């Protein structure tokens, strides 16, 4: 039913009406990313209240935009969170940590990109997700790539403390390898959430999109106009034409849940044995891969009630190999 202008069940409506009159609850996990139980109930009152608040805030923001005659493409998708059974909430710190770090990385990229625009939105509008997703340009993609790789370097140590003990060259090698796969994976994944009915679009940056239609103007602000721009446009179109629908279809077929999305982040970062790095780094990577896979198997058994999940895990590994920006 519709309450407060949004779709909500009566239980959530009653909870919100009472909760907003009380002192705000504390998050049970102190992360503010608590998830929903298998039976649909909430593990944390604070996160339940915040979720309702977010839905109301987005609804009101859209109403304001419509009154001003502004057509926004779509709202950005929520940050994936692990689907943790209530009996195991405290036994999966790696996925919870990954969810929090990814949320921080997304906020950093969003804020950096939007404030780098010639006419940036007001900070309050950025915070409320009230901004347009514009066509990507050469300068937009270049600066976005720098924001992303810098964020990866900043936050990798938070996910894996051992990362900070590596040499600068080793840290850079891991970060770039992760970027090469993660960029395309996330670009297709987020585009499938934002442009659900348009299979020809991908995210060129966190707040802008790419498609064949925008390539003709992609290099307009490229500083090196002496280069063969027409040749570069042709290469771009050759990839985006068939490559974007193919990547979007792979994402849709995979149908990843929150835990699988976060697992892929960890697995992709620790592909160290494919980089011919020293044995100690390979062992660190293997330990993290085994840890995250154990957590994912626990999710399959307890939350999803799957028995034969070995095939699904194999599919995830093969899925990662589909995305590598070096193939462009």
């Amino acid at each position: 039913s519709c309450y407060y202008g949004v779709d909500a069940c009566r239980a959530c409506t009653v909870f919100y009406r009472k909760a907003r009159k009380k002192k705000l609850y504390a998050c049970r996990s102190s992360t503010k990313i608590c998830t929903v139980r298998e039976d649909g109930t909430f593990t944390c009152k604070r996160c339940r209240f915040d979720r309702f608040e977010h839905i109301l805030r987005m609804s009101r923001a859209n109403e304001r935009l419509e009154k001003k005659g502004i057509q926004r493409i779509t709202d950005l998708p929520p940050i994936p969170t692990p689907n943790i059974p209530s009996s195991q909430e405290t036994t999966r710190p790696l996925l919870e940590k990954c969810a929090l770090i990814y949320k921080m990385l997304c906020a950093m990229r969003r804020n950096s990109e939007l404030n780098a625009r010639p006419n940036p939105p007001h900070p309050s509008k950025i915070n409320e997700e009230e901004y347009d997703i514009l066509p990507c340009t050469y300068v937009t993609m270049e600066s976005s790539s720098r924001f992303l790789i810098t964020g990866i370097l900043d936050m990798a140590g938070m996910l894996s403390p051992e990362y900070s003990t590596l040499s600068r060259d080793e840290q850079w090698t891991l970060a770039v390898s992760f970027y090469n796969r993660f960029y395309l994976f996330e670009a297709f994944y987020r585009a499938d959430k934002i442009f659900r009915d348009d299979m020809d679009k991908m995210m060129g940056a966190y707040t802008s999109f790419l498609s064949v239609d925008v390539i003709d103007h992609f290099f307009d602000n490229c500083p090196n106009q002496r280069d063969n721009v027409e040749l570069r446009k042709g290469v771009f179109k050759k990839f985006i034409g068939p490559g974007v629908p193919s990547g979007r279809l792979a994402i849709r077929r995979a149908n990843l849940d929150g835990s699988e999305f976060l697992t892929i982040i960890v697995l992709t970062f620790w592909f160290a044995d494919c980089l011919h790095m020293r044995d100690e780094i390979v062992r660190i990577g293997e330990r993290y891969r085994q840890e995250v896979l154990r957590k994912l198997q626990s999710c399959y058994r307890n939350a999803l009630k799957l028995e034969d999940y070995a095939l699904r895990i194999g599919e995830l590994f093969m899925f990662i190999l589909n995305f590598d920006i070096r193939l462009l």
Side-chain angles (χ1 to χ4, degrees):
S1 301
C2 186
Y3 294 92
Y4 297 102
V6 300
D7 291 336
C9 69
R10 181 167 179 78
C12 279
T13 307
V14 172
F15 166 80
Y16 177 74
R17 187 188 305 121
K18 294 180 179 179
R20 64 179 182 168
K21 298 178 181 179
K22 298 180 179 180
K23 186 177 180 180
L24 196 59
Y25 300 107
C27 177
R28 291 183 60 183
S29 64
S30 299
T31 63
K32 296 186 180 180
I33 56 171
C34 299
T35 53
V36 184
R37 291 192 183 98
E38 185 180 359
D39 61 1
T41 58
F42 285 79
T43 62
C44 173
K45 291 183 178 180
R46 171 59 187 270
C47 292
R48 182 184 188 182
F49 181 84
D50 286 350
R51 182 173 178 177
F52 206 108
E53 283 275 273
H54 174 75
I55 294 172
L56 284 177
R57 189 164 58 246
M58 294 310 305
S59 176
R60 292 163 183 163
N62 285 330
E63 288 178 2
R64 290 195 297 270
L65 290 175
E66 290 173 1
K67 288 179 180 178
K68 295 179 181 179
I70 300 175
Q71 179 64 42
R72 190 174 56 171
I73 296 176
T74 183
D75 180 31
L76 295 182
I79 303 301
T81 54
N83 184 15
I84 304 175
S86 58
S87 61
Q88 299 193 16
E89 288 168 4
T90 61
T91 62
R92 302 181 65 192
L94 184 57
L95 288 185
E96 292 181 0
K97 186 190 301 184
C98 184
L100 182 60
I101 291 171
Y102 177 66
K103 186 174 183 178
M104 295 169 59
L105 182 63
C106 288
M108 181 276 294
R109 295 161 65 196
R110 179 200 65 186
N111 297 343
S112 299
E113 290 182 20
L114 292 176
N115 283 297
R117 288 183 177 182
N119 298 301
H122 190 277
S124 64
K125 291 185 177 294
I126 295 176
N127 182 257
E128 296 289 340
E129 305 282 8
E130 295 180 27
Y131 54 86
D132 294 327
I133 301 178
L134 303 177
C136 196
T137 67
Y138 178 90
V139 169
T140 302
M141 179 177 284
E142 182 182 45
S143 59
S144 173
S145 297
R146 293 180 68 88
F147 295 148
L148 176 54
I149 195 68
T150 303
I152 292 170
L153 288 168
D154 280 342
M155 298 182 181
M158 297 172 60
L159 181 63
S160 307
E162 295 89 344
Y163 179 82
S164 302
T165 67
L166 306 180
S167 69
R168 179 176 297 181
D169 288 342
E170 290 169 337
Q171 292 179 3
W172 179 249
T173 298
L174 283 172
V176 170
S177 175
F178 175 72
Y179 171 88
N180 286 336
R181 297 189 186 280
F182 178 74
Y183 172 83
L184 280 186
F185 163 61
E186 193 206 34
F188 292 138
Y189 179 87
R190 292 186 61 245
D192 200 53
K193 304 294 183 183
I194 299 172
F195 306 109
R196 185 68 181 177
D197 298 324
D198 190 345
M199 296 290 284
D200 295 322
K201 285 186 172 69
M202 64 176 284
M203 301 305 293
Y206 192 83
T207 59
S208 59
F209 73 91
L210 270 178
S211 68
V212 171
D213 297 336
V214 305
I215 293 303
D216 286 336
H217 298 286
F218 178 83
F219 294 100
D220 287 356
N221 57 7
C222 178
N224 300 317
Q225 291 293 338
R226 292 176 299 173
D227 296 344
N228 193 333
V229 172
E230 292 303 318
L231 178 61
R232 297 165 75 179
K233 287 181 181 178
V235 173
F236 232 146
K237 289 180 178 179
K238 187 176 180 180
F239 164 73
I240 290 180
V244 171
S246 177
R248 290 281 302 277
L249 186 60
I251 289 288
R252 194 162 295 185
R253 285 175 174 171
N255 192 28
L256 304 173
D257 67 9
S259 291
E260 290 174 328
F261 178 89
L262 298 170
T263 296
I264 285 178
I265 290 179
V266 178
L267 294 178
T268 303
F269 186 85
W270 285 109
F271 256 53
D273 49 344
C274 299
L275 302 176
H276 307 292
M277 304 188 77
R278 55 191 174 94
D279 292 344
E280 181 182 352
I281 300 177
V282 173
R283 286 194 293 270
I284 294 173
E286 178 62 21
R287 187 171 71 250
Y288 275 100
R289 291 202 302 268
Q290 291 300 323
E291 180 179 351
V292 77
L293 287 175
R294 284 196 299 270
K295 307 307 181 185
L296 184 61
Q297 291 169 9
S298 175
C299 174
Y300 286 150
R301 288 193 303 268
N302 297 283
L304 302 179
K305 307 301 181 184
L306 297 179
E307 296 182 358
D308 185 11
Y309 45 77
L311 179 61
R312 179 61 173 174
I313 291 176
E315 290 175 348
L316 293 182
F317 273 98
M318 296 303 297
F319 178 75
I320 294 173
L321 297 177
N322 288 326
F323 303 101
D324 194 329
I325 200 172
R326 290 173 297 181
L327 299 177
L328 298 184

